[in-house]
């Protein structure tokens, strides 16, 4: 029996060229891709936005992060930043500018002077300043405001010639700046103690106090009527805090906290 075509029926749909000619045919290979390339895999534990990186670094201000689109950096980028006069640290693979200001630098200078009174005289080691950096791991280079490193921790008991020596100081001194956050300072302590720093002094110029940390949970706070003790890290060291904070006084101000 013959079949009469229905004039209102839709025309048959021809199969795609790739199906007719085969997937490997020239016609099929000439066809554009039907979908965009898949996105790279993601993971919630990996920061991909600048905001996330800033949070990971302790909630620091965005202008302290020298990164474009949260791209990590390395030693070459750190050297370049330092050559341009920007004191940065390499933290978890990111360049972070130091938050130190003029007032904080004055306190750091006084601490270097007071530490050297016994460190150099007793030949205990060396005291470095804000531009002295330590490579604590391949992706972590910290530059404490002041640090004491004993001769026993230095290779062959000599001063390293490396710009960023793989050395862990015994004592770290950090002067808190307005641009620092509490979480950032906690991260600093964690980094230092995890690598073997024995003692950390965190100086608060606003409160004229020092938090003495022996571990992440062992802390005591001293005011300017008290003195810093070198304990077993720098035996015999005693620094009156009134002498440290006196640098913040004007020439006509009395040092009420002197002891």
């Amino acid at each position: 029996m013959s079949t009469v075509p229905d004039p209102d029926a839709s025309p048959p749909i021809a199969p795609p060229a790739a199906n007719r000619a085969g997937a490997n045919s020239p016609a099929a290979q000439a066809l554009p891709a039907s979908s965009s390339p898949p996105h790279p895999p993601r993971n919630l534990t990996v920061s991909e936005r600048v905001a996330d990186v800033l949070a990971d670094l302790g909630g620091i201000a965005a202008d302290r992060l020298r990164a474009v689109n949260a791209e990590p950096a390395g030693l070459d980028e750190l050297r370049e930043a330092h050559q341009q006069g920007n004191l940065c640290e390499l933290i978890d693979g990111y360049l972070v500018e130091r938050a130190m200001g003029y007032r904080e630098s004055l306190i750091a200078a006084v601490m270097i002077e007071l530490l050297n009174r016994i460190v150099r005289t007793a030949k205990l080691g060396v005291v470095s300043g804000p531009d002295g950096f330590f490579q604590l791991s391949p992706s972590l280079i910290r530059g404490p405001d002041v640090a004491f490193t004993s001769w026993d921790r230095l290779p062959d008991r000599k001063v390293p010639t490396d710009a960023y020596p793989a050395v862990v100081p015994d004592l770290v001194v950090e002067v808190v700046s307005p641009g620092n956050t509490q979480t950032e300072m906690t991260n600093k302590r964690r980094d230092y103690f995890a690598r073997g720093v024995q003692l950390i002094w965190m100086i608060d110029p606003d409160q004229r106090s020092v938090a003495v940390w022996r571990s992440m949970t062992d802390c005591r706070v001293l005011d300017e009527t008290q003195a810093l003790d070198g304990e077993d890290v720098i035996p015999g060291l005693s620094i009156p805090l009134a002498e440290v904070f006196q640098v913040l006084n004007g020439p006509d101000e009395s040092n009420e906290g002197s002891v």
Side-chain angles (χ1 to χ4, degrees):
M1 183 174 75
S2 63
T3 302
V4 179
D6 184 355
D8 297 326
S10 299
I13 300 175
N19 291 342
R20 296 198 312 268
N24 296 326
S25 68
Q29 294 176 3
L31 291 175
S34 59
S35 61
S36 58
H39 293 289
R42 301 183 63 182
N43 189 291
L44 290 179
T45 64
V46 179
S47 299
E48 296 180 335
R49 300 182 308 131
V50 171
D52 294 332
V53 173
L54 294 174
D56 290 344
L57 294 171
I60 65 172
D63 58 2
R64 292 180 55 200
L65 179 63
R66 295 177 58 88
V68 179
N69 298 326
E71 294 179 358
L75 280 174
D76 291 340
E77 289 79 10
L78 182 64
R79 292 191 186 96
E80 182 179 356
H82 288 177
Q83 290 171 357
Q84 295 173 353
N86 299 310
L87 284 184
C88 297
E89 295 178 303
L90 184 66
I91 305 173
D92 295 334
Y94 292 97
L95 288 184
V96 179
E97 290 190 357
R98 300 278 304 280
M100 195 174 197
Y102 181 72
R103 181 181 60 166
E104 293 75 38
S105 71
L106 294 179
I107 293 178
V110 170
M111 289 301 302
I112 293 172
E113 175 188 353
L114 297 178
L115 283 170
N116 268 324
R117 287 182 183 178
I118 186 170
V119 168
R120 295 186 64 181
T121 301
K123 299 181 180 180
L124 300 177
V126 291
V127 178
S128 55
D131 49 358
F133 290 80
F134 299 87
Q135 183 168 353
L136 304 179
S137 77
S139 61
L140 181 63
I141 297 179
R142 287 284 191 185
D145 296 329
V146 183
F148 160 71
T149 309
S150 61
W151 288 119
D152 290 339
R153 291 198 172 200
L154 296 173
D156 299 323
R157 295 172 59 87
K158 296 180 180 179
V159 175
T161 57
D162 300 333
Y164 315 120
V167 170
V168 178
D170 301 74
L171 165 70
V172 161
V173 182
E174 293 283 2
V175 186
V176 181
S177 302
N180 291 130
T181 69
Q182 188 174 39
T183 303
E184 178 187 11
M185 304 311 286
T186 299
N187 291 346
K188 283 177 180 281
R189 292 196 303 274
R190 183 175 294 110
D191 289 342
Y192 288 134
F193 282 131
R195 271 75 182 185
V197 172
Q198 296 177 279
L199 184 62
I200 298 176
W201 296 339
M202 291 197 161
I203 303 176
D204 185 340
D206 289 334
Q207 301 300 323
R208 297 203 175 198
S209 65
V210 179
V212 178
W213 295 85
R214 289 305 305 253
S215 71
M216 290 300 295
T217 56
D218 183 356
C219 173
R220 57 194 178 96
V221 178
L222 308 177
D223 63 28
E224 62 180 325
T225 66
Q226 298 172 284
L228 284 168
D229 186 348
E231 304 181 31
D232 57 344
V233 178
I234 308 179
L237 175 68
S238 180
I239 297 178
L241 289 181
E243 192 171 353
V244 174
F245 293 116
Q246 187 175 11
V247 70
L248 302 180
N249 296 342
D252 301 324
E253 295 179 69
S254 62
N255 195 21
E256 297 178 355
S258 59
V259 292

